[in-house]
Amino acid sequence: MFSHISASLSHSSCSSSLTATTSSASALALRPTLSISKFHLYPFNNFKSNTRHSSLFISMESHSSASVDSISDDLKNQKLENSNNIRNNDMGNNDFDSENDGNINRVKLKLEELKWDHSFVRELPGDPETDLVPREVLHACYTRVSPSVEVENPQLVAWSHSVAELLDLDSKEFERPDFPVIFSGASTLVGAMSYAQCYGGHQFGMWAGQLGDGRAITLGEVLNSKSERWELQLKGAGKTPYSRFADGLAVLRSSIREFLCSEAMHSLGIPTTRALCLVTTGKYVARDMFYDGNPKDEPGAIVCRVAQSFLRFGSYQIHASRGKEDLDIVRTLADYTIHHHFPHLENISKSDSLSFNTGEGDDSVVDLTSNKYAAWAVGVAECTASLVARWQGVGFTHGVLNTDNMSVLGLTIDYGPFGFLDAFDPSYTPNTTDLPGRRYCFANQPDIGLWNIAQFTTTLSAAKLINDKEANYAMERYGTKFMDEYQAIMTRKLGLQKYNKQLISELLKNMSVDKVDYTNFFRLLSNIKADLAIPEDELLIPLKAVLLDIGKERKDAWTSWVQSYIQELSASDIADEERKISMNSVNPKYILRNYLCQSAIDAAEQGDFEEVRRLLKVMESPYDDQPGMEKYARLPPAWAYRPGVGMLSCSS
């Protein structure tokens, strides 16, 4: 897909197939026959995939008459409160809240004073049963459960002051001696009404049936002084009816990774769930990290996750999959989501001019003002596209993009085997489970996002909320939005005034051939001067630290590219220093590399949590030069490539 980026760029062949299979009895099996093309972003054809194209066709080469900007303008009242109030739209332009931000009038509440609401429990159908026996939960969106994890002298490992501010929570509450007990689930938080959500999903392209919160228990929703709604959820708090054969627990290793990455992504300007705190349970949990039959005991831990909603594509899919009897729940859940998270869609009218031609003839018009569900589907598609484009911009690979891990609010959700690119490799996957086919490798994420949107719109179609034309239009909007955002991001990363597909195509090809560090390269690129008189043998000096061990042929290739780059820069009237500042505001110096996480984990497992806290502090300002912290921007050491550091299984 999108050969207009570059005819020569071929999406890595790990993206060559995306197929889903559903139960023959499933309503999801009724999805229309459509065909997905590829996103041509990366210059590789050197590895193979065992997946196949699904049948979802969208012509991304010819955009509809409405541009992404026009939809954004028409929907300007849309407020995805999950992200708009905690991040800026421009990458890197983030004002990270702190205790010393001068906002002395901010509301500061004790835990007992938090203002709870429980709309999810109040407005949606619940499970009449309350036992924790693994079972199929029918005709319900949730099951009321309480944390059941065993704890012994729990300890507070790390906490986020900025997340506390979202809740109007006084940061002094972190100092309470009973704080770790409360957020381990061992003591009930006043006002909470805990439950586990029911959802299903496609896992690695196959319909997996009921999944649900197997080790996450939502405490409820807190309303802050801005009338924002924030859900609090304990991950690793014990068994639920959705735990299947698992124990419902979490270990310190994966909990540290989730806590740190949630906050690091927020500081990078990428929509994400957040993390209030991380506590140890004082108990050990058996885990077979490499699935080699050698489990070991690891320290148990719990993360308190925070988001305006943890609804995901699978939250709707599970009910559609159960046939006619549960299709009304899809509508009920859609109405709930629109009311609380897309409220502008309840009041759109013809005056908003949200009608778009998708082809020729009267039957080709999609009128989003006549169907709030269609407008919602477009909103979800565009939020998802924007999210994936931002991932690609910073080199983030999610690792498990199953439909149960896709937020309807366009958040990065469920941090399992994630990873940031070190050496640029489009086939990179941080998930050992994904190694055979690399379905969820870095280069595949744009296509997978579209494939998942196809499953989401199929669900809405099965519930008669949207028709095929509206479903296709939502998917078309995904493609257009992704391409517009991705091109804009790459243009800013190179400090250009306009997108140059040939220049970027050649750059990505060179980076891949020489396995150049993705983050450090773009950071160093800002040091190149727009001076056509620079001697040829001096052109690569600013990039010397990342162009390692390359021979004459590769030096010639890079010299040629830098010459073309300088030619492009010199055509603008932007001063070198001004461009450097701009580029550094979108190209992070610090990312949460796997080896940094592992160093913090190794210390924490020995009872030393200082490295976790130090790493959190560094990641709060990823675009800033931080004197004394340069070691956190270094290339990974040799030990970082040992098994278990760069790769994790999806159940870690």
Side-chain angles (χ1 to χ4, degrees):
M1 186 178 296
F2 306 150
S3 58
H4 56 285
I5 272 196
S6 170
S8 66
L9 282 185
S10 170
H11 192 296
S12 60
S13 53
C14 73
S15 68
S16 64
S17 86
L18 307 170
T19 304
T21 302
T22 63
S23 165
S24 60
S26 168
L28 298 181
L30 301 177
R31 66 180 181 276
T33 300
L34 307 159
S35 164
I36 302 181
S37 302
K38 300 178 186 177
F39 291 78
H40 296 295
L41 300 180
Y42 304 105
F44 280 119
N45 285 303
N46 59 354
F47 59 99
K48 300 295 180 182
S49 167
N50 63 358
T51 52
R52 287 189 283 204
H53 266 306
S54 86
S55 50
L56 183 70
F57 176 75
I58 307 167
S59 174
M60 293 298 180
E61 296 304 322
S62 58
H63 295 177
S64 67
S65 58
S67 70
V68 169
D69 288 340
S70 70
I71 276 205
S72 298
D73 290 341
D74 288 328
L75 294 178
K76 61 185 177 182
N77 293 322
Q78 177 169 332
K79 292 183 179 179
L80 292 178
E81 295 176 349
N82 58 288
S83 58
N84 288 353
N85 291 310
I86 61 174
R87 65 179 174 88
N88 270 303
N89 286 329
D90 292 325
M91 290 179 60
N93 186 18
N94 45 297
D95 299 318
F96 197 83
D97 294 329
S98 71
E99 280 296 279
N100 300 313
D101 63 0
N103 188 8
I104 60 176
N105 296 319
R106 184 176 67 83
V107 177
K108 296 183 179 181
L109 303 176
K110 295 182 178 180
L111 287 173
E112 293 80 6
E113 297 171 332
L114 292 176
K115 302 184 186 307
W116 292 90
D117 188 35
H118 300 287
S119 66
F120 199 89
V121 171
R122 184 174 64 248
E123 300 176 24
L124 297 170
D127 179 8
E129 305 294 330
T130 57
D131 64 82
L132 302 182
V133 176
R135 55 191 165 84
E136 187 136 19
V137 176
L138 302 175
H139 321 309
C141 294
Y142 65 89
T143 301
R144 291 289 307 277
V145 296
S146 298
S148 59
V149 57
E150 294 183 5
V151 304
E152 183 177 306
N153 188 30
Q155 292 181 269
L156 181 60
V157 175
W159 56 92
S160 171
H161 290 292
S162 69
V163 176
E165 290 191 6
L166 295 177
L167 307 175
D168 295 332
L169 181 65
D170 192 335
S171 286
K172 291 182 180 179
E173 292 294 276
F174 291 124
E175 301 171 11
R176 289 172 51 153
D178 62 344
F179 189 92
V181 178
I182 293 172
F183 284 94
S184 69
S187 178
T188 302
L189 187 57
V190 175
M193 187 180 291
S194 56
Y195 65 88
Q197 189 187 151
C198 178
Y199 51 81
H202 282 88
Q203 297 192 325
F204 295 93
M206 306 293 289
W207 176 244
Q210 178 181 291
L211 299 168
D213 287 333
R215 57 177 169 176
I217 297 176
T218 295
L219 301 177
E221 307 147 34
V222 170
L223 297 178
N224 68 12
S225 55
K226 298 178 181 178
S227 298
E228 296 168 342
R229 182 179 304 271
W230 296 98
E231 288 186 26
L232 273 63
Q233 185 181 88
L234 301 183
K235 185 173 181 179
K239 286 187 176 182
T240 76
Y242 312 102
S243 298
R244 292 172 287 174
F245 302 107
D247 55 20
L249 306 178
V251 297
L252 184 59
R253 166 175 48 85
S254 58
S255 298
I256 287 174
R257 287 171 56 83
E258 171 140 14
F259 179 88
L260 289 176
C261 201
S262 297
E263 295 307 286
M265 292 286 273
H266 165 71
S267 297
L268 285 167
I270 297 175
T272 177
T273 58
R274 303 293 302 279
L276 174 66
C277 62
L278 165 61
V279 300
T280 58
T281 63
K283 293 286 189 177
Y284 283 84
V285 178
R287 284 289 182 270
D288 185 355
M289 181 165 63
F290 300 111
Y291 292 98
D292 59 1
N294 296 301
K296 71 171 187 175
D297 288 339
E298 300 188 47
I302 294 175
V303 173
C304 180
R305 306 199 294 185
V306 177
Q308 291 219 325
S309 176
F310 287 95
L311 285 166
R312 62 272 319 277
F313 293 4
S315 303
Y316 309 83
Q317 284 184 287
I318 186 61
H319 306 297
S321 74
R322 288 169 171 167
K324 186 175 181 180
E325 188 176 2
D326 281 3
L327 288 180
D328 283 345
I329 298 180
V330 178
R331 180 183 293 270
T332 299
L333 190 55
D335 287 339
Y336 169 86
T337 309
I338 291 171
H339 177 70
H340 287 289
H341 302 290
F342 298 77
H344 64 289
L345 296 181
E346 294 184 310
N347 300 310
I348 57 177
S349 65
K350 294 292 183 180
S351 63
D352 291 315
S353 301
L354 297 182
S355 294
F356 305 104
N357 288 320
T358 59
E360 296 181 358
D362 294 338
D363 62 347
S364 65
V365 175
V366 173
D367 181 9
L368 299 183
T369 61
S370 64
N371 184 359
K372 68 177 181 181
Y373 303 111
W376 175 50
V378 169
V380 172
E382 291 196 352
C383 288
T384 303
S386 177
L387 175 68
V388 177
R390 289 168 183 266
W391 287 350
Q392 304 304 104
V394 297
F396 175 79
T397 307
H398 184 282
V400 197
L401 286 180
N402 296 327
T403 56
D404 57 296
N405 292 337
M406 298 294 293
S407 162
V408 294
L409 299 187
L411 306 176
T412 312
I413 192 171
D414 290 347
Y415 291 93
F418 68 82
F420 287 85
L421 291 176
D422 292 322
F424 181 68
D425 178 6
S427 70
Y428 169 68
T429 174
N431 186 356
T432 58
T433 309
D434 196 28
L435 279 178
R438 298 183 185 267
R439 177 183 176 85
Y440 298 141
C441 69
F442 175 73
N444 263 9
Q445 291 184 136
D447 275 346
I448 290 294
L450 178 58
W451 193 92
N452 288 338
I453 288 293
Q455 310 315 309
F456 178 66
T457 56
T458 294
T459 296
L460 301 186
S461 296
K464 310 289 187 194
L465 301 183
I466 63 176
N467 58 37
D468 289 352
K469 181 173 59 178
E470 292 165 335
N472 283 341
Y473 185 69
M475 290 181 284
E476 181 177 340
R477 297 314 308 162
Y478 173 94
T480 307
K481 180 69 170 178
F482 174 82
M483 290 311 307
D484 283 3
E485 291 235 0
Y486 178 77
Q487 291 181 5
I489 287 168
M490 295 305 292
T491 300
R492 292 197 299 272
K493 286 178 74 68
L494 271 71
L496 303 177
Q497 289 190 304
K498 61 182 180 180
Y499 182 73
N500 185 322
K501 67 179 182 181
Q502 182 175 353
L503 190 70
I504 293 174
S505 168
E506 193 65 26
L507 170 61
L508 295 178
K509 179 180 178 181
N510 285 340
M511 291 180 71
S512 179
V513 169
D514 295 311
K515 304 301 179 188
V516 175
D517 186 85
Y518 189 80
T519 299
N520 288 351
F521 174 84
F522 281 107
R523 188 73 178 190
L524 290 175
L525 191 63
S526 66
N527 294 324
I528 287 183
K529 309 298 183 183
D531 182 0
L532 296 173
I534 297 175
E536 185 173 305
D537 60 354
E538 296 179 11
L539 288 174
L540 301 186
I541 291 178
L543 303 176
K544 183 178 180 180
V546 288
L547 299 183
L548 307 172
D549 301 322
I550 59 174
K552 182 180 184 307
E553 181 180 352
R554 298 305 307 151
K555 284 183 179 179
D556 290 344
W558 277 105
T559 298
S560 175
W561 184 85
V562 171
Q563 288 173 330
S564 298
Y565 178 57
I566 292 176
Q567 187 75 38
E568 187 78 2
L569 295 180
S570 64
S572 74
D573 57 357
I574 299 176
D576 289 334
E577 190 58 33
E578 181 183 349
R579 185 181 66 257
K580 178 180 175 66
I581 292 172
S582 175
M583 290 175 67
N584 285 350
S585 74
V586 297
N587 290 315
K589 181 172 182 176
Y590 302 98
I591 56 167
L592 192 66
R593 297 179 188 267
N594 273 316
Y595 86 90
L596 295 175
C597 267
Q598 191 60 49
S599 295
I601 290 167
D602 290 344
E605 289 182 336
Q606 300 303 313
D608 180 1
F609 306 138
E610 285 308 309
E611 185 61 18
V612 175
R613 297 164 187 167
R614 188 178 300 111
L615 192 51
L616 173 65
K617 187 66 177 176
V618 171
M619 296 303 152
E620 286 177 358
S621 303
Y623 299 96
D624 298 341
D625 289 319
Q626 302 180 45
M629 295 298 168
E630 290 80 7
K631 69 176 184 178
Y632 292 98
R634 292 174 185 166
L635 295 175
W639 64 262
Y641 297 97
R642 72 173 188 254
V645 176
M647 303 286 291
L648 290 172
S649 68
C650 51
S651 62
S652 296

